[in-house]
Amino acid sequence: MKVRKAVIPAAGLGTRFLPVTKSVPKELLPILDRPMLQYVVEEAVEAGIEDIIIVTSRGKESIAAYFQPRPELESRLLETGAIEMAQMVKYVSNLADVSFVIQEEPLGLGHAILTAMEAVGNEPFVVILPDDIIDYRPGATSQVLKIAQGYGCGAIAVEQVPWDIIHNYGVVAVEKSDQARTYRVRQLVEKPPMAEAPSNLSIVGRYVLPPDIFECLQNTPPGAKGEIQLTDGIGLLLESRDVYAYEFVGTRYDGGTPLGLLRASLEFGLARNDTAQAVQTLINSLATG
Ligand code: UTP
């Protein structure tokens, strides 16, 4: 099963990051010096994806601008001897074949994926949520893709979360498979109360989906807030297709909230050679007051 395309939905309102998201797309907020969106595009490229479709909305034009070449900036940096920076600017615009589709209204994640139907066509594809940042190589997308290819069907990334916060997550009901960390999905439940949660495996933003998901999403009724949920669409898909859940290896950071992004920035800062020492000194001095 060859998977060539990735859909990255980036058309949400980012309300948990207001007021900054009044004018700056959440997906361009940085971990250190790189936007979250760049980390997930790099993860897609590492997984062998050739074609990246980003779903954006009106008012988020700076997302497309980020991937455009900036020859005048590159020349200026080269003239002043900032060669590494010039290379970095060029690297971003050469990173992948990126195209854009517009979601006219933020009607939910499922609706955002549906917006990419024509761009994806009749082939399996991956979905990567840019505010779920995962720091591992091979990347979570590669890991889930391997499971999907092994079984020849859909797959989603999951992680165990403490039971007392399970009501904040999409959760899977599963049965064990013959492989480690891997389960066959029986059902998906959005934000269940602890007593009703079928497991503590929460859905993380990496999916491999067959093109049949589009018909399922077209038949998915909007939920309470008028949004079409991807989990409901996958629930319909389960009636005719197998989907596996894989407990990926790596740490997930919740880049959808200010505190999650701060934590990611600190941990990535500690892991990077050029910043580790300075970040450690900063943390020590904050801790000792
Ligand atoms: P989130 O629910 O985390 O993002 O959706 P949000 O809606 O922008 O943020 P809050 O909840 O208001 O703070 C996960 C991903 O799906 C995209 C978002 O841009 C984000 O990358 N999304 C969500 C869409 O593209 N369209 C939508 O209608 C909803």
Side-chain angles (χ1 to χ4, degrees):
M1 181 170 87
K2 176 101 179 110
V3 178
R4 300 183 305 127
K5 296 185 178 179
V7 175
I8 302 181
L13 295 175
T15 49
R16 286 168 295 168
F17 261 111
L18 282 170
V20 66
T21 43
K22 274 180 75 190
S23 63
V24 180
K26 172 175 77 176
E27 297 76 12
L28 291 184
L29 295 176
I31 296 175
L32 293 177
D33 50 7
R34 281 184 283 164
M36 285 192 274
L37 192 53
Q38 184 172 330
Y39 289 90
V40 294
V41 169
E42 286 172 344
E43 187 182 308
V45 170
E46 187 249 5
I49 299 296
E50 296 159 7
D51 208 339
I52 294 177
I53 302 149
I54 300 182
V55 183
T56 65
S57 59
R58 298 195 196 286
K60 282 188 155 183
E61 288 74 17
S62 51
I63 288 182
Y66 186 72
F67 293 97
Q68 294 302 311
R70 287 284 304 275
E72 70 303 330
L73 175 60
E74 278 173 46
S75 323
R76 200 179 159 80
L77 289 166
L78 288 173
E79 275 161 29
T80 56
I83 297 171
E84 269 186 35
M85 276 188 190
Q87 284 169 342
M88 205 146 59
V89 171
K90 197 184 177 103
Y91 162 81
V92 173
S93 43
N94 288 341
L95 196 51
D97 197 343
V98 183
S99 61
F100 299 90
V101 295
I102 300 280
Q103 186 187 20
E104 295 291 348
E105 272 186 276
L107 294 177
L109 178 56
H111 183 265
I113 304 305
L114 203 45
T115 310
M117 180 167 76
E118 235 175 83
V120 171
N122 190 27
E123 55 183 290
F125 62 105
V126 301
V127 172
I128 309 180
L129 300 196
D131 51 3
D132 271 344
I133 299 294
I134 301 168
D135 74 331
Y136 201 78
R137 287 290 176 269
T141 301
S142 283
Q143 296 178 39
V144 178
L145 204 46
K146 204 168 153 198
I147 298 300
Q149 285 167 333
Y151 286 102
C153 63
I156 55 186
V158 293
E159 71 174 349
Q160 294 198 30
V161 297
W163 282 95
D164 59 336
I165 55 167
I166 198 73
H167 57 275
N168 295 316
Y169 295 91
V171 177
V172 283
V174 292
E175 55 198 50
K176 276 208 78 73
S177 82
D178 50 353
Q179 285 192 51
R181 312 178 79 94
T182 312
Y183 310 83
R184 198 172 76 82
V185 179
R186 285 196 289 110
Q187 207 193 335
L188 297 93
V189 193
E190 199 53 54
K191 300 190 169 73
M194 188 165 86
E196 286 164 33
S199 76
N200 69 335
L201 293 170
S202 79
I203 301 167
V204 172
R206 305 291 183 270
Y207 310 75
V208 183
L209 297 168
D212 318 45
I213 189 67
F214 293 117
E215 198 185 329
C216 297
L217 288 168
Q218 282 168 330
N219 293 325
T220 301
K225 284 191 254 162
E227 296 187 345
I228 296 176
Q229 301 297 348
L230 181 58
T231 44
D232 293 342
I234 298 174
L236 275 186
L237 184 71
L238 284 175
E239 291 175 11
S240 56
R241 301 267 170 198
D242 275 348
V243 174
Y244 279 78
Y246 180 66
E247 265 187 81
F248 66 94
V249 182
T251 304
R252 179 189 79 99
Y253 299 91
D254 181 6
T257 63
L259 219 62
L261 191 63
L262 179 61
R263 182 178 158 216
S265 297
L266 288 172
E267 292 201 19
F268 278 51
L270 286 172
R272 227 167 83 171
N273 287 339
D274 60 334
T275 50
Q277 205 167 4
V279 175
Q280 189 61 64
T281 307
L282 173 69
I283 291 171
N284 292 348
S285 72
L286 290 174
T288 52

